[in-house]
Amino acid sequence: TQLLEQSPQFLSIQEGENLTVYCNSSSVFSSLQWYRQEPGEGPVLLVTVVTGGEVKKLKRLTFQFGDARKDSSLHITAAQPGDTGLYLCAGEVDFGNEKLTFGTGTRLTIIP
Amino acid sequence: DVKVTQSSRYLVKRTGEKVFLECVQDMDHENMFWYRQDPGLGLRLIYFSYDVKMKEKGDIPEGYSVSREKKERFSLILESASTNQTSMYLCVSGRVADTQYFGPGTRLTVL
């Protein structure tokens, strides 16, 4: 199974700064999802993108799906301590087969 | 409120023991999944089920089995626990095309 590579693996920034995390693969995905996981909890779905080039916004978070549907990015504007967590991307290669390939994760820490 | 519950948050077992991890969902979902999460490896699919008594192998089924006798309950079984099965186990309910809901996880340590 092709893993999705996420970068950076760790990121620690000051409150109020902007940041971008990346999710890359050599595989084409029919859809891609972003999750946030807090310590001691399971991941929570943030967004699903399905169309190449698609951009979705969730308050201060902007998600983009690459034109070729092989990569994605998550941009956070004016980061807040509540954004701290493990961010995971996950892609479905074949629509409907119910198998997700997960990325290795970006652990984000926002310093007050 | 949507709920996926797992029977234990932390579990410590000895090598060779039979281990049962239970997952219950209250959303009447047909699809349920078991993943394990390890640092640097991400989440990996062990087994999933799309109906009662139906199961399909995921990417890493070796050393595991599952049971789905009722729609709301999906159990993961480690027939003979080994130290390389020390991990965080996550149960998921729902279809990928809709919204999937994760349980809080069971952190299993095999000594």
Side-chain angles (χ1 to χ4, degrees):
Chain A
T1 301
Q2 175 66 46
L3 269 181
L4 283 159
E5 298 291 333
Q6 288 187 242
S7 61
Q9 190 175 357
F10 298 95
L11 184 58
S12 184
I13 63 170
Q14 293 288 135
E15 181 177 358
E17 293 183 359
N18 301 333
L19 66 108
T20 303
V21 299
Y22 300 92
C23 174
N24 295 291
S25 176
S26 57
S27 300
V28 176
F29 294 98
S30 63
S31 69
L32 193 136
Q33 301 178 336
W34 283 92
Y35 291 84
R36 180 169 63 220
Q37 184 177 20
E38 299 188 14
E41 301 296 329
V44 175
L45 179 67
L46 296 174
V47 78
T48 300
V49 285
V50 296
T51 306
E54 182 176 4
V55 176
K56 279 192 174 179
K57 293 194 174 186
L58 186 66
K59 296 183 180 177
R60 294 175 294 101
L61 280 60
T62 301
F63 304 86
Q64 183 158 10
F65 202 10
D67 291 340
R69 291 184 287 125
K70 292 183 179 181
D71 55 85
S72 181
S73 64
L74 158 59
H75 181 80
I76 301 179
T77 304
Q80 297 179 2
D83 296 326
T84 292
L86 177 68
Y87 287 81
L88 297 163
C89 64
E92 186 182 27
V93 174
D94 296 318
F95 179 78
N97 80 349
E98 296 295 303
K99 289 189 176 182
L100 284 178
T101 298
F102 276 84
T104 47
T106 292
R107 190 164 296 280
L108 174 64
T109 302
I110 308 302
I111 303 164
Chain B
D1 203 15
V2 161
K3 273 243 172 94
V4 179
T5 56
Q6 295 184 227
S7 50
S8 305
R9 296 297 294 266
Y10 299 93
L11 209 51
V12 180
K13 295 292 182 181
R14 296 210 173 270
T15 301
E17 281 193 76
K18 191 168 186 175
V19 182
F20 292 86
L21 302 182
E22 304 272 322
C23 175
V24 177
Q25 51 97 359
D26 65 358
M27 296 162 282
D28 201 36
H29 287 158
E30 293 176 337
N31 292 10
M32 296 183 74
F33 306 75
W34 277 105
Y35 286 87
R36 61 178 285 177
Q37 182 176 25
D38 300 287
L41 295 177
L43 277 74
R44 293 177 291 167
L45 180 63
I46 305 171
Y47 266 99
F48 69 101
S49 168
Y50 49 89
D51 204 348
V52 174
K53 296 192 186 295
M54 305 300 283
K55 61 185 180 184
E56 282 206 25
K57 294 181 179 179
D59 299 316
I60 52 164
E62 297 77 18
Y64 303 94
S65 63
V66 290
S67 172
R68 184 109 181 257
E69 295 297 317
K70 292 185 177 181
K71 192 175 187 179
E72 67 269 21
R73 189 179 299 270
F74 191 33
S75 302
L76 180 69
I77 304 154
L78 286 65
E79 297 289 343
S80 178
S82 63
T83 55
N84 63 12
Q85 292 179 310
T86 291
S87 187
M88 169 71 91
Y89 289 88
L90 290 163
C91 174
V92 186
S93 179
R95 294 178 62 237
V96 171
D98 300 323
T99 299
Q100 290 194 305
Y101 296 91
F102 282 75
T106 296
R107 188 167 290 283
L108 173 67
T109 302
V110 182
L111 302 174

